[in-house]
């Protein structure tokens, strides 16, 4: 293996930090302040070069915004004929087709179809704070250390999951709150089947909850649908399919989901 790919190899083996996405978002938000400070500090030739580069970026951004705004404007064609003369009265109510507008509407239609394809039964869910999600576990002889957290919601872990040593385990997923199967409803067939969970695709609350496998309302999970006998257009058996959790597992004690078809 090439020596220069050790970072990618480490990410594949051990994953990223739990707060990686949050740190990345904050870093991008601070970038604006850094650029502003640099613009005020640089002088001379470096200042001129920096100002020129910033000016070009701003012009490109404004052009893009203006083009986007113009694409949204819905105006009819001007009542002029091919020679540029005014149209007669009986032709004024006939609106000529605008090619740009037609292209724009077709793009919008494609976007709507794509959005409809990836639509979910619950588009919005209630936010859950970290205080509600985690409970502080105090350790040490005098119970003065509070670096451990216990998840209070239901979670999913894989088949070959083993807990880390007690002194190294920072986040605890209780065995009583682990779920391996879900009641999945097929919306078109109207049947509910008890299917095993394969993985947690996305938890809308936070990327950290997705990595921990927390099951809350609105979470997208992957379930094993081989028992349903679903096949693709090519005749292959479908193994895994996505479903969205529709209930609150910590209240009901079970996971109910709707298959995304």
């Amino acid at each position: 293996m090439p020596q220069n790919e050790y970072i990618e190899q480490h990410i594949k083996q051990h994953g990223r930090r739990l707060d990686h996405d949050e740190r990345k978002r904050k870093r991008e938000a601070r970038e604006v302040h850094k650029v502003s400070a640099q613009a005020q500090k640089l002088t001379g030739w470096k200042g001129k070069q920096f100002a020129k580069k910033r000016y070009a970026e701003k012009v490109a951004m404004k052009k893009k915004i203006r083009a986007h705004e113009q694409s949204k404007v819905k105006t009819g064609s001007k009542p002029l004929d091919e020679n540029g003369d005014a149209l007669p009265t009986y032709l004024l109510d006939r609106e000529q087709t605008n090619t740009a507008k037609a292209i724009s509407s077709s793009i919008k239609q494609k976007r709507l179809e794509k959005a409809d394809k990836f639509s979910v039964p619950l588009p919005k869910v209630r936010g859950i704070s970290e205080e509600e999600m985690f409970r502080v576990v105090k350790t040490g002889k005098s119970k003065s250390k509070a670096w451990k957290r216990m998840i209070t919601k239901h979670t999913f872990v894989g088949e070959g999951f083993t807990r880390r040593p007690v002194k190294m385990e920072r986040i605890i997923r209780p065995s009583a709150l682990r779920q391996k199967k879900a009641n999945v409803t097929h919306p078109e067939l109207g049947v509910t089947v008890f299917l095993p969970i394969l993985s947690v695709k996305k938890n809308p609350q936070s990327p950290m909850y997705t990595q921990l496998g927390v099951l809350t309302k609105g979470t997208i999970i992957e379930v094993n649908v081989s028992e349903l006998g679903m096949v693709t257009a090519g005749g292959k058996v479908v193994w895994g399919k996505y479903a969205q959790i529709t209930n609150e597992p910590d209240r009901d004690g079970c996971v109910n989901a709707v298959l995304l078809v």
Side-chain angles (χ1 to χ4, degrees), residues 27-80:
R27 196 182 301 118
E28 290 174 357
R30 284 194 297 266
E31 195 66 30
V32 183
H33 300 285
K34 286 184 180 179
V35 171
S36 176
Q38 199 175 2
Q40 294 176 39
K41 187 173 68 175
L42 290 174
T43 56
W45 175 246
K46 285 187 177 179
K48 284 185 178 180
Q49 292 295 99
F50 188 80
K52 187 177 180 182
K53 181 185 171 186
R54 288 280 294 152
Y55 178 75
E57 288 176 358
K58 287 183 179 180
V59 168
M61 185 175 67
K62 286 183 179 179
K63 281 183 179 178
K64 189 181 285 186
I65 292 170
R66 196 178 297 115
H68 186 65
E69 287 175 351
Q70 287 177 357
S71 69
K72 287 185 176 180
V73 176
K74 295 181 180 178
T75 55
S77 57
K78 294 181 181 179
L80 298 173

Side-chain angles (χ1 to χ4, degrees), residues 10-11 61 65 78 91 95 98 105-106 116 120 132 144 173 183 189-190 208 212 225 235 247 256:
H10 187 274
I11 291 170
M61 185 175 67
I65 292 170
K78 294 181 181 179
L91 288 177
E95 191 175 332
N98 193 341
S105 61
S106 66
D116 187 50
V120 291
E132 185 183 350
S144 58
R173 284 172 276 193
N183 300 309
L189 299 177
M208 182 175 69
L212 291 171
V225 294
N247 71 324
N256 299 335

Side-chain angles (χ1 to χ4, degrees), residues 21-184:
D21 296 292
E22 186 67 15
R23 284 163 62 89
K24 187 179 177 183
R25 182 189 66 79
K26 287 183 178 179
R27 196 182 301 118
E28 290 174 357
R30 284 194 297 266
E31 195 66 30
V32 183
H33 300 285
K34 286 184 180 179
V35 171
S36 176
Q38 199 175 2
Q40 294 176 39
K41 187 173 68 175
L42 290 174
T43 56
W45 175 246
K46 285 187 177 179
K48 284 185 178 180
Q49 292 295 99
F50 188 80
K52 187 177 180 182
K53 181 185 171 186
R54 288 280 294 152
Y55 178 75
E57 288 176 358
K58 287 183 179 180
V59 168
M61 185 175 67
K62 286 183 179 179
K63 281 183 179 178
K64 189 181 285 186
I65 292 170
R66 196 178 297 115
H68 186 65
E69 287 175 351
Q70 287 177 357
S71 69
K72 287 185 176 180
V73 176
K74 295 181 180 178
T75 55
S77 57
K78 294 181 181 179
L80 298 173
D81 60 4
E82 296 176 357
N83 300 325
D85 302 326
L87 287 173
T89 312
Y90 60 88
L91 288 177
L92 285 176
D93 58 338
R94 299 186 187 180
E95 191 175 332
Q96 295 178 357
T97 55
N98 193 341
T99 313
K101 188 179 177 183
I103 293 170
S104 176
S105 61
S106 66
I107 291 169
K108 286 178 183 176
Q109 186 63 29
K110 284 181 181 178
R111 283 179 183 170
L112 287 171
E113 288 174 2
K114 189 177 180 182
D116 187 50
K117 183 182 177 183
F118 294 102
S119 62
V120 291
L122 300 176
K124 293 181 181 180
V125 291
R126 179 182 68 88
I128 299 174
S129 62
E130 288 194 4
E131 289 77 11
E132 185 183 350
M133 180 69 68
F134 298 110
R135 183 170 66 83
V136 179
V137 178
K138 293 189 176 182
T139 57
K141 189 176 181 181
S142 59
K143 302 295 180 185
S144 58
K145 297 176 182 177
W147 58 278
K148 286 196 175 191
R149 298 289 181 271
M150 182 180 288
I151 299 176
T152 59
K153 306 290 180 183
H154 284 250
T155 56
F156 167 76
V157 294
E159 287 295 328
F161 173 76
T162 53
R163 289 179 63 175
R164 299 184 71 182
V166 179
K167 291 193 175 182
M168 297 174 67
E169 188 178 33
R170 185 175 180 274
I171 296 177
I172 303 166
R173 284 172 276 193
S175 301
L177 294 178
R178 293 180 195 167
Q179 294 285 354
K180 292 185 178 179
K181 290 195 172 184
N183 300 309
V184 182

